[in-house]
Amino acid sequence: MRARERHGTVMAAGCLVLLGAMGSAQDKPEAKGPARHIQQERFWANLQKLSEFGKNPEGGVSRVGFTEADLAGRMYVMGLMREAGLTVRVDPAGNIFGRRAGMENLPVLLFGSHTDSVPHGGNFDGDVGTLGAIEVIHALNEAKVKTRHPLEVVSWTNEEGGRFYSGLFGSSAAAGILPADVAERKDDAGQKLSDWLMRMGGDASRIAAARIAPASVAGYLELHIEQGGRLDEANVPIGVVQGIVGINFRTCTATGFANHAGTTPMDRRQDALAAASRAVLAVREEVRGEPGRQVGTVGWMRIEPGASNVIPGRVVFPVEVRDLDAGKIEHVAARILQRFEVIGREENVQIDCTQPDLHPPALTTPAFQDAIRASAREAGLTTMDLPSGALHDAQNAARFAPMGMIFVPSRGGISHAPMEYSSPEQVANGAEVLYRTLLRVDETK
Ligand code: GLV
Ligand code: MN
Ligand code: MN
């Protein structure tokens, strides 16, 4: 059976499922517009259940990677995968895969996202793509659609980089780009990455085996919230991602001399916080120093010893620079380091930064962009092309497979915050486009 015919069958079956969920065909008028395969209510209910794991008082979640809340969320996701009939496995990097067999002996079509969050994060970043992928599997099962390719839903480990690594941990392992020392990393409390990986069903000593061979994946798709305000402002339901920014991330330490705040004259101080504060402003100045969409951020500071009557002797802070152009990231980051040297000399404070964790930018595959646009059109949804300023595991997947990303609107452009929100209809629109795009790619690859 040709996939396009399968598509027609699916639409009819999906329509019946939708009517079944809402009442009988006799007592309800037929829904307007193209048929839907996704069950919006089920998808939304699962998202709400996931938001119980690591729930925070502000209404979002703190489900930071490699924490108890993360482990609990992962268990919930594995249960959902099994309920959808997927065969579940966990690779040495803790990535969770749920497989559905295909009709032909072909490489897999991989799709999914992550379920870890930033501290005090929201309920949609990553969750929509992971649970949206599982919803697509339910819809395929209900419509009795068989695909040519095997399908794998993936939930990547520690996308946000809360602990031990800067971000995109699991997909970096899959792309074979984790730094050599990563398996030995410990946090400030002495907890080991390797112990957490073991609790997740992974194995730090075998992390190299998490690498995915290019020939084994026919394509990667990720559904995600936009996390910016462009779709919301333009009232467009579907974003077609053109590319994902790269990042240069370092941890820097300003080392001065901790001394008495009352007795040390102002011209004899080696104030690490004064130097670090100037460094934060220098990051902003250097990033703004040329035209373009590049951004740079210092997201936190640890001040030691941290007493009001002691001059700070040591300050630790991260510096990240992002852009779609790898060359621009490199030269802006280099200029920032030069500024730190000057500030260090002027303040009599040593500022040292680690070697960078680098995630290169990635462009999405044009054929996948076309498939997303055509699928949205078929579902009666308008689209906008846009870049992603947030990182995504998709940029690592682009190293081993053609890659595409679908965005849905984020209310007010708010993300990485408890008020992050996309409506039930908006996330279901995204999953519907994912469903249709997957079948298109299955047909043509
Ligand atoms: C992750 O969401 C990031 O953009 O850092
Ligand atoms: Mn995300
Ligand atoms: Mn995020």
Side-chain angles (χ1 to χ4, degrees):
M1 182 172 23
R2 292 211 355 99
R4 182 124 309 281
E5 289 156 16
R6 283 205 316 271
H7 222 83
T9 320
V10 174
M11 281 194 193
C15 191
L16 288 178
V17 169
L18 196 62
L19 287 171
M22 295 167 64
S24 76
Q26 282 98 321
D27 55 54
K28 293 265 184 217
E30 214 174 293
K32 284 204 205 96
R36 285 299 171 109
H37 308 95
I38 295 305
Q39 275 201 35
Q40 181 174 308
E41 297 78 10
R42 174 176 55 203
F43 182 17
W44 188 253
N46 287 343
L47 277 170
Q48 282 182 321
K49 279 189 224 140
L50 180 56
S51 70
E52 291 297 318
F53 301 99
K55 192 180 185 126
N56 63 36
E58 304 98 324
V61 288
S62 289
R63 199 163 55 235
V64 173
F66 301 121
T67 61
E68 298 296 340
D70 180 35
L71 281 185
R74 289 164 55 91
M75 294 301 288
Y76 174 67
V77 166
M78 285 192 270
L80 285 184
M81 284 183 174
R82 291 193 184 99
E83 262 174 39
L86 298 173
T87 308
V88 177
R89 76 185 159 88
V90 176
D91 78 3
N95 296 313
I96 303 168
F97 295 89
R99 187 176 177 98
R100 184 180 192 262
M103 290 189 296
E104 296 175 30
N105 187 16
L106 291 169
V108 295
L109 286 174
L110 189 63
F111 55 116
S113 193
H114 62 98
T115 61
D116 64 301
S117 81
V118 294
H120 304 279
N123 294 314
F124 298 87
D125 177 357
D127 302 359
V128 166
T130 306
L131 300 198
I134 295 172
E135 178 56 34
V136 164
I137 298 289
H138 276 298
L140 291 171
N141 292 345
E142 284 155 359
K144 298 192 172 29
V145 175
K146 292 207 165 98
T147 51
R148 292 173 55 228
H149 298 76
L151 304 180
E152 281 195 355
V153 173
V154 59
S155 184
W156 301 105
T157 306
N158 193 22
E159 190 269 354
E160 302 288 4
R163 302 179 71 193
F164 306 114
Y165 192 57
S166 54
L168 311 184
F169 175 85
S171 57
S172 296
I177 56 167
L178 280 180
D181 73 319
V182 78
E184 278 101 57
R185 288 196 186 177
K186 291 182 189 166
D187 70 5
D188 291 340
Q191 291 197 11
K192 291 188 192 154
L193 168 63
S194 53
D195 290 343
W196 277 99
L197 271 183
M198 203 187 312
R199 292 186 65 191
M200 288 173 160
D203 180 352
S205 69
R206 294 181 51 252
I207 204 138
R211 188 166 188 166
I212 294 182
S216 64
V217 179
Y220 176 81
L221 288 167
E222 184 163 346
L223 166 65
H224 207 281
I225 57 167
E226 181 198 340
Q227 307 184 268
R230 292 181 61 189
L231 294 174
D232 188 37
E233 275 160 31
N235 200 19
V236 170
I238 297 295
V240 182
V241 179
Q242 301 159 306
I244 307 169
V245 294
I247 192 169
N248 174 310
F249 170 95
R250 298 171 195 264
T251 305
C252 302
T253 305
T255 310
F257 191 82
N259 207 344
H260 198 292
T263 61
T264 314
M266 292 309 282
D267 61 352
R268 303 253 177 102
R269 295 181 178 220
Q270 289 176 265
D271 184 335
L273 181 55
S277 305
R278 286 185 62 192
V280 173
L281 297 180
V283 169
R284 191 168 67 168
E285 283 157 19
E286 292 306 328
V287 172
R288 284 179 174 174
E290 59 183 284
R293 297 165 90 134
Q294 66 278 5
V295 291
T297 307
V298 175
W300 53 265
M301 265 190 188
R302 200 174 62 230
I303 303 164
E304 297 170 7
S308 59
N309 55 359
V310 183
I311 298 161
R314 189 167 181 268
V315 176
V316 183
F317 57 100
V319 178
E320 56 149 82
V321 177
R322 302 183 185 210
D323 196 58
L324 264 183
D325 175 349
K328 182 172 265 188
I329 295 175
E330 201 177 315
H331 75 246
V332 171
R335 279 208 319 263
I336 288 172
L337 291 187
Q338 284 161 12
R339 285 287 300 279
F340 284 7
E341 252 182 68
V342 175
I343 293 168
R345 268 200 305 278
E346 289 174 357
E347 295 290 336
N348 203 11
V349 164
Q350 178 75 30
I351 306 181
D352 297 307
C353 296
T354 56
Q355 286 301 310
D357 283 350
L358 292 171
H359 296 289
L363 297 179
T364 53
T365 305
F368 281 22
Q369 291 185 18
D370 291 343
I372 295 166
R373 272 185 220 105
S375 300
R377 203 178 315 118
E378 194 181 67
L381 299 164
T382 55
T383 62
M384 177 195 282
D385 291 0
L386 76 181
S388 170
L391 300 183
H392 295 289
D393 293 304
Q395 69 205 91
N396 283 332
R399 290 168 165 258
F400 54 77
M403 175 277 283
M405 276 198 87
I406 302 161
F407 274 175
V408 293
S410 295
R411 187 173 65 191
I414 297 171
S415 184
H416 282 186
M419 280 177 66
E420 181 175 272
Y421 184 78
S422 305
S423 72
E425 188 188 354
Q426 286 170 329
V427 298
N429 284 340
E432 180 67 30
V433 174
L434 176 63
Y435 177 100
R436 290 169 185 262
T437 306
L438 196 69
L439 290 184
R440 250 170 221 283
V441 172
D442 180 53
E443 178 184 353
T444 51
K445 286 287 301 175

